[in-house]
């Protein structure tokens, strides 16, 4: 029996880069445990734990959780995943977090989704809604018959604040400023694997092929056209 070594991977990518889709596919094909810092924080907030209550005050202000709190939370969780392959998502977000992680365990690879900001902006700003009914349109996949107008009522469509170009730009800039040093940190260690492209379905086969050199595909489906 061939025993594959455990994989310790990190996935990084800006909001709208397809990170959720890619992570789900990695989990499905390679059976790794997925640990998302955002999910873990939301879970703590819902359960109103001490960390959750503290985290809420930062998240509500759009700020990062302090490194020591975040690191302790994630490292405790990782201890329980000792025997498994894992994929970290949303952590580390700062160099201090990356260094703290390094002290506890060896990271094998960092998958970086390198999607042009212009592409992401188009994706994230494509959503328009009709506030009264909640109808959602997507300019790419399900556009209204007349641009900016609800099909049924003829009333104007609006963008959510979060989807407005200026907000999206600000979020992308914040991601860039925060995570560039982390990407550099891993690049210098020779761990960074960047996958560039504008479409998740075109990037995915390259990520799949890369991971197949490290882990067997455990999904039931024929792996010829991995989805
Ligand atoms: P996410 O779902 O990954 O976007 O995380 C939601 C929020 O949780 C972020 O906007 C941060 O405020 C906080 N957060 C998540 N991960 C981290 C982290 N590694 N370090 C600090 N704050 C984090």
């Amino acid at each position: 029996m061939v025993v594959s070594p455990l994989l310790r991977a990190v996935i990084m990518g800006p909001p709208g880069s397809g990170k959720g889709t890619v992570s789900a596919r990695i989990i499905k094909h390679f059976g790794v445990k997925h640990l998302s810092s955002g999910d873990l924080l939301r879970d703590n907030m819902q359960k109103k734990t001490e960390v959750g209550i503290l985290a809420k005050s930062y998240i509500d202000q759009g700020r990062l959780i302090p490194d020591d709190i975040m690191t302790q939370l994630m490292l405790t969780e990782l201890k329980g995943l000792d025997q498994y392959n894992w994929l970290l998502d949303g952590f580390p977000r700062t160099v201090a977090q990356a260094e703290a992680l390094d002290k506890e365990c060896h990271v094998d690879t960092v998958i970086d989704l390198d999607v042009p900001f212009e592409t992401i902006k188009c994706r994230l700003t494509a959503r328009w809604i009709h506030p009264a009914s909640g109808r959602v349109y997507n300019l790419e996949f399900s556009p209204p018959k007349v641009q900016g107008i609800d099909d049924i009522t003829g009333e104007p469509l609006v963008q959510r604040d979060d989807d407005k170009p200026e907000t999206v730009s600000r979020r992308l800039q914040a991601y860039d400023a925060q995570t560039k040093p982390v990407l550099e940190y891993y690049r210098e260690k020779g761990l960074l694997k960047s996958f560039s492209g504008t479409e998740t379905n075109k990037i995915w086969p390259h990520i799949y092929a890369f991971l197949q050199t490290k882990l067997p595909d455990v999904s039931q489906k024929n792996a010829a056209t991995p989805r």
Side-chain angles (χ1 to χ4, degrees), residues 37-38 41-42 59 63-65 70 90-91 93 97:
S37 56
L41 288 169
R42 281 183 285 275
I59 291 178
R63 292 168 61 198
L64 289 184
I65 314 301
M70 203 61 228
F91 179 91
R93 257 198 178 66
Q97 291 178 11

Side-chain angles (χ1 to χ4, degrees), residues 121-130 134-142 144 157-165 168 171:
K121 252 192 241 174
C122 287
R123 267 185 213 169
L124 294 181
T125 57
R127 184 166 56 168
W128 287 75
I129 55 170
H130 176 241
R135 262 186 291 284
V136 178
Y137 296 87
N138 185 293
L139 300 188
E140 276 179 67
F141 309 114
S142 53
L157 300 175
V158 300
Q159 274 186 309
R160 289 196 186 131
D161 282 348
D162 239 26
D163 296 339
K164 287 185 176 155
V168 169
R171 278 165 67 200

